[in-house]
Amino acid sequence: MTTRSGFAALIGEPNAGKSTLTNTLVGAKVSIVTHKVQTTRARIRGVAIEGDSQIVLVDTPGLFAPKRRLDRAMVAAAWGGAADADVIVLLIEAHRGITEGVKNILQNLPDVSGKRPVALAINKIDMVKSDVLLELTQEMNAAFPFVKTFMISAEKGYGVADLKTWLAAMMPESPWLYPEDQIADLPLRMIAAEMTREKLTLRLHQELPYQLTVETEMWEERKDGSARIDQIVYVARDGHKGIVLGRKGETIKAVSQSARAELEEFLGRKIHLFLQVKVRPNWLEEAERYSEMGLNFKDGNQ
């Protein structure tokens, strides 16, 4: 039996649906999904299996015009993920069409893709009519020589099976890179931190900008099979600390309960989660914080 295994990078603008598609292809939640843009910070690898093929999905941060060090490091991680992959899938939103951001990606794509096959996945197809889809497909294929075009809804699952079958066939012949039961190559400490960050992002909506990060400070295995996880939420200002804590600590308590429930479901055991909020005015300029996020601090240099 010939096995196949390789890397497929999902690239696109923020909020194009890369994280949702990663989770749908893997069949489990491995990537942070919120309605807010720029939520994926590191290159999160989810592992999907189709027949004899193992597809390692690189869910990259969204590609956008970077303004800060963190933005620049995220964009570098996204292009780096594409450059390291065997196959690249560009995801665009059907209802938004060819935006300025998509034009910029198309401009840079030839340099990064080289001779790698690049597929186009038009997401959220349920939001537009078929004639709009047809026109968008023609325009995109005129702008870049995509080897294949897929019409999908990552959230509802339409067309995802076809994309998965194609990706499986495109993987190079190789022994599997990960054990059969492994669905992500992020350390559990980072997955736990990402889950808490997602709950904070969903809870805080527009109140807090992207100036918070979560780190798992301690992970203690207990004799009864449970685990104690201590995490720190770093914010840039005192005012942000108050927002994260909420009135009488209600916000952080709700976030902790929600994150703990998801962690217990993900890990299949009891979790004791403890969150602390700390103000670090310059965390966006600290190399250590970037390492914890799986990003390269130097990539943020101008």
Side-chain angles (χ1 to χ4, degrees), residues 44-61:
I44 293 170
R45 292 200 182 106
V47 186
I49 290 167
E50 178 72 13
D52 301 332
S53 294
Q54 189 181 60
I55 310 155
V56 185
L57 297 152
V58 185
D59 172 18
T60 61

Side-chain angles (χ1 to χ4, degrees), residues 119-186:
L120 172 66
I122 301 176
N123 191 24
K124 306 178 186 177
I125 55 167
D126 47 323
M127 296 180 77
V128 298
K129 291 184 174 157
S130 54
D131 56 336
V132 176
L133 269 179
L134 184 63
E135 193 179 332
L136 179 57
T137 303
Q138 289 169 342
E139 282 182 42
M140 284 297 290
N141 279 276
F144 187 88
F146 295 101
V147 296
K148 195 99 172 153
T149 299
F150 295 92
M151 310 279 184
I152 67 165
S153 167
E155 194 175 353
K156 295 179 177 163
Y158 308 146
V160 176
D162 289 343
L163 173 59
K164 191 175 182 180
T165 302
W166 180 80
L167 285 171
M170 296 300 288
M171 294 296 102
E173 288 187 11
S174 156
W176 284 7
L177 301 167
Y178 294 93
E180 192 172 346
D181 58 351
Q182 189 169 333
I183 59 168
D185 84 340
L186 276 184

Side-chain angles (χ1 to χ4, degrees), residues 5-229:
S5 195
F7 294 86
L10 306 178
I11 66 168
E13 286 189 283
N15 246 9
K18 299 179 295 295
S19 297
T20 304
L21 180 57
T22 298
N23 294 338
T24 304
L25 286 164
V26 173
K29 188 167 174 183
V30 292
S31 192
I32 181 169
V33 179
T34 76
H35 59 284
K36 296 176 79 65
V37 298
Q38 296 164 35
T39 40
T40 300
R41 284 179 175 170
R43 283 178 281 180
I44 293 170
R45 292 200 182 106
V47 186
I49 290 167
E50 178 72 13
D52 301 332
S53 294
Q54 189 181 60
I55 310 155
V56 185
L57 297 152
V58 185
D59 172 18
T60 61
L63 291 161
F64 59 101
K67 295 185 178 72
R68 306 167 299 167
R69 174 183 281 278
L70 178 61
D71 297 344
R72 290 191 292 273
M74 283 161 60
V75 168
W79 282 122
D84 295 342
D86 297 292
V87 179
I88 299 169
V89 179
L90 170 60
L91 208 62
I92 68 166
E93 294 174 283
H95 62 294
R96 293 187 67 217
I98 304 175
T99 60
E100 282 305 311
V102 170
K103 285 177 188 170
N104 288 336
I105 293 170
L106 288 169
Q107 206 174 338
N108 290 304
L109 201 47
D111 295 336
V112 176
S113 62
K115 291 180 180 173
R116 288 175 194 80
V118 184
L120 172 66
I122 301 176
N123 191 24
K124 306 178 186 177
I125 55 167
D126 47 323
M127 296 180 77
V128 298
K129 291 184 174 157
S130 54
D131 56 336
V132 176
L133 269 179
L134 184 63
E135 193 179 332
L136 179 57
T137 303
Q138 289 169 342
E139 282 182 42
M140 284 297 290
N141 279 276
F144 187 88
F146 295 101
V147 296
K148 195 99 172 153
T149 299
F150 295 92
M151 310 279 184
I152 67 165
S153 167
E155 194 175 353
K156 295 179 177 163
Y158 308 146
V160 176
D162 289 343
L163 173 59
K164 191 175 182 180
T165 302
W166 180 80
L167 285 171
M170 296 300 288
M171 294 296 102
E173 288 187 11
S174 156
W176 284 7
L177 301 167
Y178 294 93
E180 192 172 346
D181 58 351
Q182 189 169 333
I183 59 168
D185 84 340
L186 276 184
L188 283 177
R189 294 169 73 98
M190 199 186 280
I191 289 175
E194 282 290 279
M195 284 181 176
T196 301
R197 187 166 70 90
E198 180 189 46
K199 300 304 175 214
L200 281 162
T201 307
L202 288 169
R203 179 90 187 184
L204 298 170
H205 302 298
Q206 303 298 330
E207 287 182 79
L208 197 64
Y210 299 93
Q211 295 187 356
L212 66 78
T213 191
V214 180
E215 287 180 18
T216 301
E217 189 184 35
M218 192 185 82
W219 187 302
E220 181 188 47
E221 296 290 343
R222 298 211 165 155
K223 286 177 182 174
D224 62 1
S226 68
R228 175 188 168 125
I229 301 172

